[in-house]
Amino acid sequence: MDMIRRWLAAPVMLCTLTAGCGGGGVDPITRSTLSNAVPPVSPLRLVDALPEPADFGSGWRHETGSLGKQDYYDSFAGQVLVHTCEGANPEKAGIPTSSKHTVSILMVGENDGARVVSIRIAVDGPAASADRISFLRAAYEGCGEAHIEQNGEEHDEKYELLKVSGVKADQTLAVKVTDTMKLPGKEPDTEVDTMAYARVGGLVVALAGRHGTDPRPLLAAALAEARRELGL
């Protein structure tokens, strides 16, 4: 995904029209009528809302130096469909891309290092948060795949909506992103990331599992910890 982000600054892009570049574009969402009031959150409480390794069970640790303020929309902005699929650009659709309060951290497998989960917590007005999650769902439903190429390097991304179970929330969403990179004269390299989201009021907890890690079983614990610490 980091490589794709570097690509998106480049001027040469094209969208393969097979499968309508994912299904024919994104339908406008029905905007939320919830409140726009942002819950009061202190920076210290926001950091406390991040799950501890023990909340995910044994064998996890925080990645040293990974504490930050990344928004969950940052990952979405780095995907190909935002730039190639009609209607999938949130800024052009009038969807705010930055939450009022954000905090993030990286959790990795304690021994093997193969399991990697990015945890991002965001707090905003309930209406804004609801619209963001609704827009994400609409984008992935409307754009099943996307393609980008430059200087002989190609990326094909496919998006598959997944079920979320065992999470009590106003909205949930999960999607698997399969990115196949092709370089001239080399075998294709495929990376699989899975994103899982849960919204309660203006609170959004977003987990991104990298290198094939499925974060959905961890979503309920992360949401419960965030709600407990923030009182939301």
Side-chain angles (χ1 to χ4, degrees):
M1 293 299 181
D2 290 338
M3 182 175 292
I4 295 175
R5 290 195 187 95
R6 291 197 296 270
W7 274 45
L8 295 180
V12 181
M13 296 186 215
L14 60 89
C15 177
T16 303
L17 296 180
T18 57
C21 199
V26 181
D27 293 329
I29 65 169
T30 300
R31 295 302 182 95
S32 173
T33 58
L34 295 171
S35 169
N36 287 311
V38 180
V41 173
S42 72
L44 183 59
R45 280 313 242 185
L46 199 60
V47 172
D48 289 341
L50 289 166
E52 294 294 330
D55 295 327
F56 285 180
S58 60
W60 292 92
R61 63 175 176 81
H62 288 147
E63 179 74 348
T64 303
S66 65
L67 181 64
K69 295 183 178 181
Q70 292 181 326
D71 196 295
Y72 61 94
Y73 248 56
D74 295 343
S75 294
F76 178 68
Q79 292 170 10
V80 176
L81 82 166
V82 174
H83 299 264
T84 60
C85 185
E86 184 177 356
N89 187 309
E91 293 183 353
K92 291 182 180 179
I95 303 296
T97 57
S98 299
S99 300
K100 297 299 183 183
H101 305 287
T102 59
V103 67
S104 61
I105 202 165
L106 202 63
M107 199 89 80
V108 298
E110 191 171 30
N111 297 318
D112 52 26
R115 296 173 298 166
V116 180
V117 176
S118 172
I119 303 158
R120 300 179 183 185
I121 295 175
V123 177
D124 207 339
S129 293
D131 284 348
R132 288 190 189 99
I133 299 300
S134 294
F135 184 81
L136 286 177
R137 178 176 292 278
Y140 290 125
E141 286 178 342
C143 307
E145 60 185 51
H147 176 86
I148 188 172
E149 65 179 67
Q150 183 188 17
N151 299 328
E153 183 175 333
E154 302 181 31
H155 280 269
D156 289 294
E157 283 189 351
K158 294 185 178 181
Y159 315 102
E160 178 187 355
L161 288 173
L162 306 174
K163 292 183 178 180
V164 177
S165 59
V167 179
K168 294 182 179 181
D170 297 325
Q171 286 175 293
T172 59
L173 173 66
V175 61
K176 181 169 72 173
V177 180
T178 303
D179 172 30
T180 300
M181 182 181 69
K182 301 174 184 176
L183 292 171
K186 295 185 178 181
E187 291 294 319
D189 180 39
T190 298
E191 187 74 44
V192 178
D193 291 350
T194 300
M195 275 69 74
Y197 308 85
R199 180 189 70 83
V200 175
L203 167 68
V204 174
V205 174
L207 307 183
R210 301 176 183 174
H211 313 311
T213 303
D214 188 348
R216 287 178 294 168
L218 310 174
L219 186 58
L223 178 62
E225 176 67 9
R227 294 191 69 185
R228 185 179 68 84
E229 290 291 343
L230 298 175
L232 299 175

